[in-house]
Amino acid sequence: MKGIKKFYLITFILIIMLLAACNSEEAEGEDSGEVEERDYPSTVTIGTASQGGTYYIWGGGLATLLEQNLDITSNVEVTGGPVHNIQLLDVDDIQLGMVTMGPLYEGYYGEGEWASKEFSDIRVIFPMYNTPFQWWSTASSGVTSIMEHEGERVGIGPAGGTPGTYNPLIYEALGIETGDQVAAGASDMASQMLDGQLDHIGFSAGLPIAAVTEVETQADINIYGIDGEEREKVMEALPYFTEFVIPQDTYESLDGDVETIAQFNFGVVQKEANEEFVYDLVKAYHENIDQMISTHASAQESEDPAAILENKEYPLHPGAIRYYEEIGIDLPDAVYPPEWEQNN
């Protein structure tokens, strides 16, 4: 009997040791930087945001760029915006997305309320433009400041999009308790304003925002941003914001420059994206930036490829790194991912 017990004890110990060894090998594999690269695609789905916003316009421009330069067909997907794009990339429902710095920060580190985990497999591939936050109200309301939104029904942008995610946080940082917050796309909110259902809208996108232009051609509106002490409070609470100035000539309704806050935007993929595809895409993007500028003026902010240096923290895809190194851009050490270190 003692011999049998000893046999079982030894067997149990051996099993434990074997499992520990397997777990150790798996952990080493996870840290090795090895990536199961996908095939070079013949078609991709591009995650944008709501219709009427700048992302959707950019999506059309990127689709044309891919078809004309890489012979790749694209589906331009209407999404909830950056937060939704990160989630869709993670499950391969889209293969190319657009994100602002705030959702990128929250997703990558798993710190956003929406982030169910750390989305650490996301990779930056090209710079886009600044997304300034701006608000507009009907002239008849007399409102010219976000501080006057206390108790008011306000449009905040689509849930999952940059404005829909951060407008509530901006109100919270400033201690503003609004009335109902309408989560909807830019075009939907513009229609509600023109129908008299909504007096105040907050949105963020590359300039000019089509929905603002649409409204100001049919109604008198006050356009404003955020500055001074209020801006300092917001930037202290939400450190991924930067100062920004909306030029007077952006909209007909402006009679001067508008001080506000902004986040930068990037094109992103998952780390499994084919390296040659990413290299070809980034090269075509920068070598044909005039095509993107003709799609939307905001692309002028990436006319110089050095705009990629707006990202100093989040990993770039190896295909993008190859291109930027080839043209002589000195990238920060922090943007080199584990898979680059493993393979170079």
Short mmCIF file of all heavy atoms in Angstrom, two decimals, residues 171-196:
data_model
loop_
_atom_site.label_atom_id
_atom_site.label_comp_id
_atom_site.label_asym_id
_atom_site.label_seq_id
_atom_site.Cartn_x
_atom_site.Cartn_y
_atom_site.Cartn_z
N TYR A 171 -17.32 67.92 -19.40
CA TYR A 171 -18.32 68.49 -18.49
C TYR A 171 -18.01 68.13 -17.04
O TYR A 171 -18.10 68.96 -16.13
CB TYR A 171 -19.72 68.00 -18.86
CG TYR A 171 -20.29 68.57 -20.14
CD1 TYR A 171 -20.83 67.75 -21.13
CD2 TYR A 171 -20.32 69.95 -20.34
CE1 TYR A 171 -21.35 68.28 -22.29
CE2 TYR A 171 -20.86 70.48 -21.50
CZ TYR A 171 -21.37 69.64 -22.47
OH TYR A 171 -21.89 70.18 -23.62
N GLU A 172 -17.63 66.87 -16.84
CA GLU A 172 -17.33 66.40 -15.48
C GLU A 172 -16.14 67.15 -14.91
O GLU A 172 -16.13 67.56 -13.75
CB GLU A 172 -17.05 64.90 -15.51
CG GLU A 172 -16.77 64.29 -14.15
CD GLU A 172 -16.52 62.80 -14.22
OE1 GLU A 172 -16.93 62.16 -15.21
OE2 GLU A 172 -15.89 62.27 -13.29
N ALA A 173 -15.09 67.34 -15.74
CA ALA A 173 -13.89 68.04 -15.28
C ALA A 173 -14.19 69.48 -14.88
O ALA A 173 -13.55 70.03 -13.98
CB ALA A 173 -12.82 68.00 -16.36
N LEU A 174 -15.19 70.08 -15.53
CA LEU A 174 -15.56 71.46 -15.26
C LEU A 174 -16.69 71.60 -14.25
O LEU A 174 -17.10 72.71 -13.93
CB LEU A 174 -15.94 72.17 -16.56
CG LEU A 174 -14.80 72.33 -17.59
CD1 LEU A 174 -15.33 72.90 -18.90
CD2 LEU A 174 -13.69 73.22 -17.02
N GLY A 175 -17.20 70.47 -13.77
CA GLY A 175 -18.28 70.51 -12.79
C GLY A 175 -19.60 70.97 -13.37
O GLY A 175 -20.45 71.51 -12.66
N ILE A 176 -19.80 70.73 -14.68
CA ILE A 176 -21.04 71.15 -15.34
C ILE A 176 -22.02 69.98 -15.36
O ILE A 176 -21.70 68.90 -15.86
CB ILE A 176 -20.77 71.61 -16.79
CG1 ILE A 176 -19.81 72.79 -16.81
CG2 ILE A 176 -22.07 71.95 -17.52
CD1 ILE A 176 -19.31 73.16 -18.20
N GLU A 177 -23.20 70.18 -14.83
CA GLU A 177 -24.24 69.17 -14.88
C GLU A 177 -25.25 69.58 -15.95
O GLU A 177 -26.10 70.44 -15.72
CB GLU A 177 -24.92 69.01 -13.52
CG GLU A 177 -23.99 68.46 -12.44
CD GLU A 177 -24.73 68.15 -11.15
OE1 GLU A 177 -25.98 68.20 -11.16
OE2 GLU A 177 -24.06 67.86 -10.14
N THR A 178 -25.14 68.98 -17.10
CA THR A 178 -26.05 69.31 -18.20
C THR A 178 -27.40 68.63 -17.98
O THR A 178 -27.57 67.82 -17.06
CB THR A 178 -25.48 68.83 -19.54
OG1 THR A 178 -25.51 67.39 -19.58
CG2 THR A 178 -24.05 69.33 -19.74
N GLY A 179 -28.33 68.94 -18.87
CA GLY A 179 -29.57 68.19 -18.93
C GLY A 179 -29.32 66.93 -19.75
O GLY A 179 -28.24 66.35 -19.66
N ASP A 180 -30.28 66.52 -20.54
CA ASP A 180 -30.12 65.33 -21.38
C ASP A 180 -28.92 65.48 -22.31
O ASP A 180 -28.71 66.54 -22.90
CB ASP A 180 -31.38 65.09 -22.22
CG ASP A 180 -32.57 64.69 -21.37
OD1 ASP A 180 -32.36 64.22 -20.24
OD2 ASP A 180 -33.71 64.86 -21.84
N GLN A 181 -28.15 64.41 -22.44
CA GLN A 181 -27.03 64.39 -23.38
C GLN A 181 -27.41 63.48 -24.54
O GLN A 181 -27.62 62.28 -24.38
CB GLN A 181 -25.75 63.89 -22.69
CG GLN A 181 -25.28 64.83 -21.60
CD GLN A 181 -23.93 64.42 -21.01
OE1 GLN A 181 -23.36 63.39 -21.36
NE2 GLN A 181 -23.41 65.23 -20.09
N VAL A 182 -27.52 64.08 -25.72
CA VAL A 182 -27.95 63.36 -26.92
C VAL A 182 -26.73 62.77 -27.61
O VAL A 182 -25.87 63.49 -28.11
CB VAL A 182 -28.69 64.30 -27.89
CG1 VAL A 182 -29.11 63.54 -29.15
CG2 VAL A 182 -29.89 64.94 -27.20
N ALA A 183 -26.65 61.44 -27.62
CA ALA A 183 -25.54 60.75 -28.28
C ALA A 183 -25.96 60.40 -29.71
O ALA A 183 -26.79 59.52 -29.93
CB ALA A 183 -25.16 59.49 -27.52
N ALA A 184 -25.41 61.10 -30.68
CA ALA A 184 -25.79 60.89 -32.08
C ALA A 184 -24.67 61.38 -32.98
O ALA A 184 -23.77 62.11 -32.56
CB ALA A 184 -27.09 61.63 -32.40
N GLY A 185 -24.73 60.99 -34.24
CA GLY A 185 -23.75 61.41 -35.22
C GLY A 185 -23.90 62.88 -35.56
O GLY A 185 -24.92 63.51 -35.28
N ALA A 186 -22.88 63.42 -36.23
CA ALA A 186 -22.87 64.85 -36.54
C ALA A 186 -24.05 65.26 -37.42
O ALA A 186 -24.71 66.28 -37.16
CB ALA A 186 -21.55 65.21 -37.24
N SER A 187 -24.35 64.48 -38.44
CA SER A 187 -25.45 64.82 -39.34
C SER A 187 -26.79 64.78 -38.62
O SER A 187 -27.65 65.65 -38.82
CB SER A 187 -25.47 63.87 -40.54
OG SER A 187 -24.35 64.07 -41.36
N ASP A 188 -26.98 63.75 -37.78
CA ASP A 188 -28.23 63.63 -37.02
C ASP A 188 -28.42 64.82 -36.08
O ASP A 188 -29.52 65.38 -35.96
CB ASP A 188 -28.26 62.33 -36.22
CG ASP A 188 -28.45 61.11 -37.10
OD1 ASP A 188 -28.87 61.29 -38.27
OD2 ASP A 188 -28.18 60.00 -36.64
N MET A 189 -27.34 65.21 -35.39
CA MET A 189 -27.46 66.34 -34.47
C MET A 189 -27.71 67.64 -35.23
O MET A 189 -28.50 68.49 -34.77
CB MET A 189 -26.17 66.45 -33.63
CG MET A 189 -25.99 65.31 -32.64
SD MET A 189 -24.67 65.62 -31.43
CE MET A 189 -23.24 65.81 -32.51
N ALA A 190 -27.07 67.79 -36.38
CA ALA A 190 -27.30 69.00 -37.20
C ALA A 190 -28.76 69.08 -37.62
O ALA A 190 -29.37 70.16 -37.57
CB ALA A 190 -26.39 68.98 -38.42
N SER A 191 -29.33 67.95 -38.02
CA SER A 191 -30.75 67.93 -38.42
C SER A 191 -31.65 68.30 -37.25
O SER A 191 -32.63 69.04 -37.41
CB SER A 191 -31.13 66.54 -38.95
OG SER A 191 -30.42 66.23 -40.13
N GLN A 192 -31.33 67.79 -36.05
CA GLN A 192 -32.12 68.12 -34.87
C GLN A 192 -32.03 69.61 -34.55
O GLN A 192 -33.02 70.23 -34.14
CB GLN A 192 -31.64 67.31 -33.67
CG GLN A 192 -31.96 65.82 -33.75
CD GLN A 192 -31.59 65.07 -32.50
OE1 GLN A 192 -31.91 65.49 -31.39
NE2 GLN A 192 -30.91 63.94 -32.65
N MET A 193 -30.85 70.20 -34.74
CA MET A 193 -30.72 71.63 -34.49
C MET A 193 -31.56 72.43 -35.48
O MET A 193 -32.27 73.38 -35.10
CB MET A 193 -29.25 72.06 -34.57
CG MET A 193 -29.04 73.55 -34.41
SD MET A 193 -27.30 74.02 -34.17
CE MET A 193 -27.12 73.69 -32.39
N LEU A 194 -31.51 72.05 -36.75
CA LEU A 194 -32.27 72.77 -37.77
C LEU A 194 -33.77 72.58 -37.60
O LEU A 194 -34.57 73.43 -38.02
CB LEU A 194 -31.83 72.31 -39.16
CG LEU A 194 -30.40 72.70 -39.56
CD1 LEU A 194 -30.00 72.04 -40.87
CD2 LEU A 194 -30.27 74.22 -39.67
N ASP A 195 -34.16 71.46 -36.96
CA ASP A 195 -35.58 71.20 -36.70
C ASP A 195 -36.05 71.82 -35.38
O ASP A 195 -37.20 71.63 -34.98
CB ASP A 195 -35.85 69.70 -36.66
CG ASP A 195 -35.73 69.05 -38.03
OD1 ASP A 195 -35.80 69.80 -39.03
OD2 ASP A 195 -35.55 67.81 -38.10
N GLY A 196 -35.15 72.52 -34.68
CA GLY A 196 -35.52 73.17 -33.43
C GLY A 196 -35.55 72.25 -32.23
O GLY A 196 -36.08 72.63 -31.18
#
